[in-house]
Amino acid sequence: MDVRKLEQKEHRDTRSLYEEVFSEDSVSFVEYYYSEKTKDNQIYAVEEDEGIRAMLHLNPYRIWVNGSVKDVNYIVAVATQEEYRKRGYMAALLKRSLKDMYEAGEAFTFLMPASERIYQPFDFRTVYEQDRKFYRKEDEAIPGISITDAAAADCKGLAEAANRELSGSCQVFAVRDEAYYMRLIREYDSDGGKLKVYRRDDEIIDCRGYYPGEEEDGIPKIMVRIVDVRRMLMSLSLRSLAGACFCVTDPLIEENNRCIVITGTEYSGVMLMDGKEENSEGTISIAALASLVFGAKTVEEVCLEEGVLMTDRLREELGKIIPLSKICLNETV
């Protein structure tokens, strides 16, 4: 099996596999994706029998995490040609891409699963249900609100309004800029939709997508996977003075298997040092840590997971972490 990161000029070579596996996507959307999103993403592929049989895309985003901006990859278009499935290709692609993301200094990655059970064995955990709001015709009757189709001239204002709103209400979100909204306009256009801008007194207050004649089916979920445990922990804030020593286990990224001393205050945030196993007050798996860090589970709930052991004191100290539970990751691709 040959797992390889493709060169940018090779990205279009994966289009036939994309169209085969994601046949529900329209031709116009696939054209948008391959003309726009693959310009700056990374694509990993498994080549077999002189062809690309499996792939995984990493689409880059700038993510706001507790006041700082991090480069994070959104895993999309994970696909294997039907007759080549059950050969471990997806596992190989995930392991290689996770290793490369670690080497690149990324704290975490995220994806929208077709099924959560597919990614749970790779230590991804569900932390967010998307809350995307869509334009409805009755919105036109809201007093004092004007609604127009988004245009290029709106993109700067959209970005400024969104970043202002999100930075005041969320700990984790994709940072917006003009290019973000230009892409979003093209994304909706590619499927016959529109991005709608809502204004009150000429001030942008919202934007919502619109697809004629279609209703959203289900609530998409977002799963995260910690890539670098140290970088992830150092992004956190604390409720009060804390200090503890524990071990982390990670079956996929060897460098995350370490003993950590976590200290800090409500003013400093988390600070880390290397610890010694003989001083450890417990063990926590990388998956359980993701659930804790992103607020999907409490310390007590995490302690019920396989591979987690904590002293009472460690539980108390980890309970001082302020979880990253205020999340807005509503991106599609």
Side-chain angles (χ1 to χ4, degrees):
M1 183 196 310
D2 180 20
V3 178
R4 186 166 66 86
K5 184 164 78 169
L6 301 181
E7 296 181 22
Q8 204 280 330
K9 63 183 180 181
E10 299 176 290
H11 285 189
R12 276 194 171 265
D13 295 343
T14 64
R15 179 166 175 165
S16 60
L17 176 60
Y18 187 106
E19 291 175 323
E20 179 180 342
V21 176
F22 304 110
S23 58
E24 69 277 11
D25 288 351
S26 67
V27 172
S28 56
F29 176 82
V30 176
E31 181 56 37
Y32 155 77
Y33 185 86
Y34 272 86
S35 62
E36 187 69 40
K37 300 295 287 189
T38 63
K39 289 191 299 190
D40 59 0
N41 76 348
Q42 301 173 66
I43 300 179
Y44 291 80
V46 174
E47 296 172 309
E48 201 77 61
D49 300 329
E50 300 183 349
I52 293 172
R53 307 305 177 186
M55 66 180 178
L56 176 152
H57 296 211
L58 299 182
N59 290 352
Y61 280 87
R62 295 169 62 238
I63 302 294
W64 173 285
V65 182
N66 256 0
S68 65
V69 178
K70 301 183 182 297
D71 292 325
V72 174
N73 277 302
Y74 185 13
I75 299 175
V76 303
V78 182
T80 303
Q81 198 171 7
E82 187 172 3
E83 54 266 41
Y84 287 85
R85 292 173 187 169
K86 298 185 179 179
R87 299 188 185 187
Y89 290 174
M90 189 189 81
L93 288 165
L94 282 168
K95 289 174 184 177
R96 167 69 191 278
S97 59
L98 286 169
K99 181 70 173 176
D100 285 357
M101 283 187 272
Y102 178 89
E103 295 295 337
E106 297 176 30
F108 69 98
T109 186
F110 66 105
L111 55 78
M112 183 195 299
S115 170
E116 293 166 277
R117 63 178 180 78
I118 295 173
Y119 295 97
Q120 286 169 347
F122 301 97
D123 305 301
F124 286 83
R125 291 296 181 266
T126 301
V127 300
Y128 177 64
E129 291 187 346
Q130 289 194 337
D131 183 26
R132 290 185 287 162
K133 294 180 173 65
F134 289 85
Y135 164 87
R136 298 290 180 261
K137 213 164 190 177
E138 50 266 34
D139 293 349
E140 301 282 354
I142 300 174
I145 300 296
S146 65
I147 303 173
T148 58
D149 293 346
D154 298 316
C155 291
K156 182 179 179 181
L158 283 167
E160 290 173 351
N163 289 330
R164 185 168 55 248
E165 169 66 24
L166 290 168
S167 63
S169 60
C170 294
Q171 297 160 292
V172 181
F173 66 89
V175 177
R176 274 67 163 161
D177 58 16
E178 288 184 67
Y180 178 100
Y181 281 102
M182 284 300 302
R183 275 186 164 178
L184 198 55
I185 290 171
R186 295 187 192 111
E187 185 176 318
Y188 278 104
D189 283 348
S190 72
D191 256 351
K194 291 292 181 183
L195 184 65
K196 299 283 191 175
V197 182
Y198 289 58
R199 288 182 172 87
R200 179 184 286 117
D201 298 328
D202 291 328
E203 181 180 346
I204 293 173
I205 59 168
D206 201 358
C207 72
R208 300 182 182 186
Y210 170 61
Y211 289 113
E214 290 189 17
E215 295 290 334
E216 281 297 293
D217 184 23
I219 301 175
K221 297 180 179 181
I222 293 295
M223 303 182 83
V224 302
R225 210 277 185 196
I226 294 176
V227 173
D228 187 324
V229 67
R230 294 170 301 178
R231 293 178 187 274
M232 192 72 253
L233 289 173
M234 289 181 69
S235 302
L236 303 177
S237 300
L238 296 167
R239 294 189 172 91
S240 60
L241 174 66
C245 178
F246 60 95
C247 293
V248 177
T249 59
D250 187 338
L252 299 184
I253 303 175
E254 178 61 33
E255 293 84 351
N256 284 332
N257 290 287
R258 55 176 64 242
C259 190
I260 290 172
V261 175
I262 183 172
T263 62
T265 69
E266 63 269 39
Y267 306 108
S268 69
V270 168
M271 297 181 288
L272 297 180
M273 295 183 293
D274 288 331
K276 297 181 179 179
E277 287 192 28
E278 56 264 33
N279 297 328
S280 174
E281 300 171 82
T283 301
I284 185 167
S285 67
I286 199 76
L289 189 61
S291 293
L292 179 64
V293 163
F294 286 91
K297 290 187 177 182
T298 65
V299 175
E300 290 72 23
E301 290 169 333
V302 161
C303 286
L304 300 176
E305 289 200 22
E306 185 178 351
V308 177
L309 279 173
M310 294 189 198
T311 63
D312 290 342
R313 203 193 83 84
L314 179 58
R315 293 186 192 193
E316 183 179 348
E317 295 304 293
L318 292 184
K320 296 176 181 178
I321 290 174
I322 299 174
L324 301 170
S325 55
K326 297 176 181 178
I327 301 168
C328 180
L329 291 173
N330 289 337
E331 286 60 41
T332 303
V333 292

